Coordinates of all heavy atoms in Angstrom, one line a residue:
S55 N 23.9 138.4 211.0 CA 24.6 138.4 209.7 C 24.5 139.8 209.1 O 23.5 140.5 209.3 CB 24.1 137.4 208.7 OG 22.8 137.7 208.3
M56 N 25.5 140.2 208.3 CA 25.5 141.4 207.6 C 26.1 141.1 206.2 O 27.2 140.5 206.1 CB 26.3 142.5 208.3 CG 26.4 143.8 207.5 SD 27.4 145.0 208.4 CE 27.2 146.4 207.3
N57 N 25.4 141.5 205.1 CA 25.9 141.3 203.8 C 26.2 142.7 203.2 O 25.3 143.3 202.6 CB 24.9 140.5 203.0 CG 24.7 139.2 203.6 OD1 25.6 138.4 203.8 ND2 23.4 138.8 203.8
P58 N 27.4 143.2 203.2 CA 27.7 144.5 202.7 C 27.9 144.5 201.2 O 28.4 143.5 200.6 CB 29.0 144.9 203.4 CG 29.7 143.6 203.7 CD 28.6 142.6 203.9
G59 N 27.5 145.6 200.6 CA 27.8 145.8 199.2 C 28.4 147.2 199.0 O 28.6 147.9 200.0
A60 N 28.6 147.7 197.9 CA 29.2 149.0 197.7 C 28.2 150.1 198.0 O 27.4 150.5 197.1 CB 29.8 149.2 196.2
G61 N 28.1 150.5 199.2 CA 27.2 151.6 199.6 C 25.8 151.1 200.1 O 24.9 151.8 200.3
S62 N 25.7 149.8 200.3 CA 24.5 149.2 200.8 C 24.7 148.0 201.6 O 25.8 147.4 201.5 CB 23.5 148.9 199.6 OG 24.1 147.8 198.9
F63 N 23.8 147.6 202.4 CA 23.9 146.3 203.1 C 22.5 145.8 203.5 O 21.6 146.5 203.6 CB 24.8 146.5 204.4 CG 24.2 147.3 205.5 CD1 23.5 146.7 206.5 CD2 24.4 148.6 205.6 CE1 23.0 147.4 207.6 CE2 23.8 149.4 206.6 CZ 23.1 148.8 207.6
T64 N 22.5 144.5 203.8 CA 21.4 143.8 204.4 C 21.9 143.2 205.6 O 23.0 142.8 205.7 CB 20.7 142.8 203.5 OG1 21.7 141.8 203.2 CG2 20.2 143.4 202.2
C65 N 21.0 143.0 206.6 CA 21.4 142.4 207.8 C 20.1 141.7 208.4 O 19.0 142.0 208.1 CB 22.0 143.4 208.8 SG 20.9 144.6 209.4
S66 N 20.4 140.7 209.3 CA 19.4 140.1 210.0 C 20.0 139.6 211.4 O 21.2 139.4 211.5 CB 18.8 138.9 209.2 OG 19.8 137.9 209.0
W67 N 19.1 139.4 212.3 CA 19.5 138.9 213.6 C 18.4 138.2 214.4 O 17.2 138.5 214.1 CB 20.1 140.1 214.5 CG 19.0 141.1 214.8 CD1 18.2 141.2 215.9 CD2 18.7 142.2 214.0 NE1 17.4 142.3 215.8 CE2 17.7 143.0 214.7 CE3 19.1 142.7 212.8 CZ2 17.1 144.1 214.2 CZ3 18.6 143.9 212.3 CH2 17.5 144.6 212.9
S68 N 18.7 137.3 215.3 CA 17.8 136.7 216.1 C 18.5 136.2 217.4 O 19.6 135.8 217.3 CB 17.0 135.6 215.4 OG 17.9 134.5 215.1
N69 N 17.8 136.2 218.5 CA 18.3 135.7 219.8 C 19.6 136.3 220.2 O 20.5 135.6 220.7 CB 18.4 134.2 219.7 CG 17.0 133.5 219.4 OD1 16.0 134.0 220.0 ND2 17.0 132.6 218.5
I70 N 19.8 137.6 219.9 CA 21.1 138.2 220.2 C 21.0 138.9 221.6 O 19.9 139.1 222.1 CB 21.5 139.2 219.1 CG1 20.4 140.2 218.8 CG2 21.9 138.5 217.9 CD1 20.4 141.4 219.6
E71 N 22.1 139.3 222.1 CA 22.1 140.2 223.3 C 22.1 141.6 222.9 O 21.4 142.4 223.4 CB 23.4 139.8 224.2 CG 23.5 140.6 225.4 CD 24.6 140.2 226.3 OE1 25.1 139.1 226.2 OE2 25.0 141.0 227.1
N72 N 23.0 142.0 221.9 CA 23.1 143.3 221.5 C 23.8 143.3 220.1 O 24.8 142.6 220.0 CB 24.0 144.1 222.5 CG 23.9 145.6 222.4 OD1 23.2 146.1 221.5 ND2 24.4 146.2 223.4
F73 N 23.3 143.9 219.1 CA 23.8 143.8 217.7 C 23.8 145.1 217.0 O 22.9 146.0 217.3 CB 22.8 142.8 217.0 CG 23.1 142.8 215.5 CD1 24.2 142.1 215.0 CD2 22.2 143.4 214.6 CE1 24.4 142.1 213.6 CE2 22.4 143.3 213.2 CZ 23.5 142.7 212.7
L74 N 24.8 145.4 216.2 CA 24.9 146.6 215.5 C 25.4 146.3 214.0 O 26.3 145.4 213.9 CB 26.0 147.5 216.1 CG 26.5 148.6 215.3 CD1 25.9 149.9 215.8 CD2 28.0 148.7 215.5
A75 N 24.8 146.9 213.0 CA 25.3 146.8 211.7 C 25.3 148.2 211.1 O 24.3 149.0 211.3 CB 24.3 145.9 210.8
R76 N 26.4 148.6 210.5 CA 26.4 150.0 210.0 C 27.4 150.1 208.8 O 28.3 149.3 208.6 CB 26.9 151.0 211.1 CG 28.3 150.7 211.6 CD 28.5 151.7 212.7 NE 29.8 151.4 213.4 CZ 30.1 152.0 214.5 NH1 29.4 153.0 215.0 NH2 31.2 151.7 215.1
M77 N 27.1 151.1 208.0 CA 27.9 151.4 206.8 C 27.9 152.9 206.5 O 26.9 153.5 206.7 CB 27.3 150.6 205.6 CG 28.1 151.0 204.3 SD 27.6 149.9 202.9 CE 28.8 148.6 203.1
G78 N 29.0 153.4 206.1 CA 29.1 154.8 205.8 C 30.5 155.3 205.6 O 31.4 154.5 205.3
K79 N 30.7 156.6 205.7 CA 32.0 157.2 205.5 C 32.6 157.4 206.9 O 32.0 157.9 207.8 CB 31.9 158.5 204.8 CG 31.4 158.4 203.4 CD 32.5 157.7 202.5 CE 32.2 157.8 201.1 NZ 33.2 157.4 200.2
N80 N 33.9 157.1 207.0 CA 34.6 157.4 208.3 C 35.7 158.4 208.0 O 36.7 158.2 207.3 CB 35.3 156.1 208.8 CG 36.0 156.3 210.1 OD1 36.2 157.4 210.6 ND2 36.4 155.2 210.7
Y81 N 35.4 159.6 208.5 CA 36.3 160.7 208.2 C 37.3 160.9 209.4 O 38.1 161.8 209.3 CB 35.5 162.0 208.1 CG 34.6 162.0 206.9 CD1 33.2 161.8 207.1 CD2 35.0 162.2 205.6 CE1 32.3 161.8 206.1 CE2 34.1 162.2 204.6 CZ 32.8 162.0 204.8 OH 31.9 162.0 203.8
D82 N 37.3 160.0 210.3 CA 38.1 160.2 211.5 C 39.6 160.2 211.2 O 40.4 160.9 211.9 CB 37.8 159.0 212.5 CG 38.5 159.3 213.9 OD1 38.4 160.4 214.4 OD2 39.1 158.3 214.4
S83 N 40.1 159.4 210.2 CA 41.5 159.4 210.0 C 42.1 160.7 209.5 O 43.3 161.0 209.6 CB 41.8 158.3 208.9 OG 41.2 158.7 207.7
Q84 N 41.2 161.6 209.1 CA 41.7 163.0 208.6 C 42.0 163.9 209.8 O 42.5 165.0 209.6 CB 40.7 163.5 207.6 CG 40.5 162.7 206.4 CD 39.5 163.3 205.4 OE1 39.3 164.5 205.3 NE2 38.8 162.4 204.7
K85 N 41.5 163.6 211.0 CA 41.8 164.4 212.2 C 41.4 165.9 212.0 O 42.2 166.7 212.5 CB 43.2 164.2 212.6 CG 43.7 162.8 212.8 CD 43.0 162.2 214.0 CE 43.5 160.7 214.2 NZ 42.6 159.9 214.9
K86 N 40.3 166.1 211.4 CA 39.9 167.5 211.2 C 38.7 167.8 212.2 O 38.0 166.9 212.6 CB 39.4 167.7 209.8 CG 40.4 167.6 208.7 CD 39.8 167.9 207.4 CE 40.8 167.8 206.2 NZ 40.1 168.0 204.9

Side-chain angles (χ1 to χ4, degrees):
S55 68
M56 178 182 186
N57 300 306
S62 68
F63 70 93
T64 60
C65 64
S66 63
W67 63 91
S68 65
N69 301 316
I70 52 88
E71 181 175 339
N72 202 348
F73 171 72
L74 164 104
R76 63 183 171 190
M77 174 171 271
K79 295 288 191 174
N80 183 348
Y81 299 103
D82 191 46
S83 63
Q84 297 178 35
K85 305 293 183 203
K86 293 181 182 178

